[in-house]
Amino acid sequence: MKPLLALFALAPLVACTAEAPPQVDDQAVLDLGIRNAVLVEPGVVSTGQPTEEQLAALPALGYRTVIQLRPADEEGTGWEEAQAAELGLTFLRLPVSGIEGVTEENARALDAALADVGRSGVVVACASGNRVGGLFALRAHYCEGAAPEEALELGKQAGMTRAEPAVREILGLPDDEE
């Protein structure tokens, strides 16, 4: 039997380099004009509904994943899967029906989706960014251990508007007027 080292000596030398992750251009994604686009963290952008043209621009900017919170039967959506497949984008639909769908369960589902796809080059979208922000607030609290007030602020920064009263209630915070 030949020594193991001798077997390796017969193999051609191959460079041991891992494929570098694609560089993302966060600012260029924000500059696409997608409704209410905001940077949640480097490589992760919260947006309203992108247009076909805006979706088509994402791969060139290093963005490879879209997580859509709108149910496929919500007006103005449902077309993205086919275009994403043509573009080579990973497309996940996590249907969140309105503010009522901004729940701990859906925040945990968003966290799992982000863990699956990695957190670099991801657009998380709904109609306006409101549901996205609400889920990011709940995700910060339930999945990352943020205090309720801190989680609420993160949600606002991530696009939460009309969902704030519901998120406040879920987080056990008093009404804004109190």
Side-chain angles (χ1 to χ4, degrees):
M1 185 167 188
K2 295 183 180 181
L4 191 55
L5 186 56
L7 290 175
F8 284 121
L10 298 176
L13 291 176
V14 177
C16 296
T17 57
E19 187 175 317
Q23 293 297 314
V24 297
D25 190 339
D26 296 327
Q27 189 57 54
V29 172
L30 297 175
D31 292 342
L32 287 174
I34 304 173
R35 182 178 179 199
N36 300 330
V38 294
L39 188 64
V40 177
E41 61 186 59
V44 179
V45 173
S46 164
T47 72
Q49 178 66 44
T51 65
E52 291 180 30
E53 295 78 18
Q54 291 162 336
L55 193 69
L58 294 176
L61 303 175
Y63 273 69
R64 300 282 185 220
T65 302
V66 175
I67 300 173
Q68 175 60 269
L69 302 184
R70 300 177 76 194
D73 61 354
E74 190 174 306
E75 186 178 343
T77 191
W79 55 268
E80 305 97 320
E81 286 90 344
Q83 185 177 0
E86 289 174 14
L87 296 168
L89 291 170
T90 298
F91 186 90
L92 305 172
R93 188 173 298 276
L94 174 61
V96 175
S97 296
I99 293 171
E100 302 78 30
V102 178
T103 63
E104 177 184 350
E105 179 183 358
N106 282 332
R108 291 184 184 280
L110 175 60
D111 185 65
L114 287 168
D116 284 347
V117 299
R119 287 163 59 175
S120 181
V122 181
V123 168
V124 185
C126 66
S128 67
N130 181 47
R131 286 174 268 188
V132 177
L135 287 187
F136 269 105
L138 296 180
R139 177 180 167 268
H141 180 67
Y142 290 111
C143 302
E144 297 179 340
E149 297 83 4
E150 180 185 350
L152 186 71
E153 284 307 310
L154 188 140
K156 288 179 186 180
Q157 293 168 11
M160 178 178 63
T161 55
R162 296 178 318 280
E164 183 178 345
V167 171
R168 281 180 168 281
E169 184 177 332
I170 293 167
L171 293 174
L173 294 170
D175 289 340
D176 198 22
E177 288 126 21
E178 291 181 13

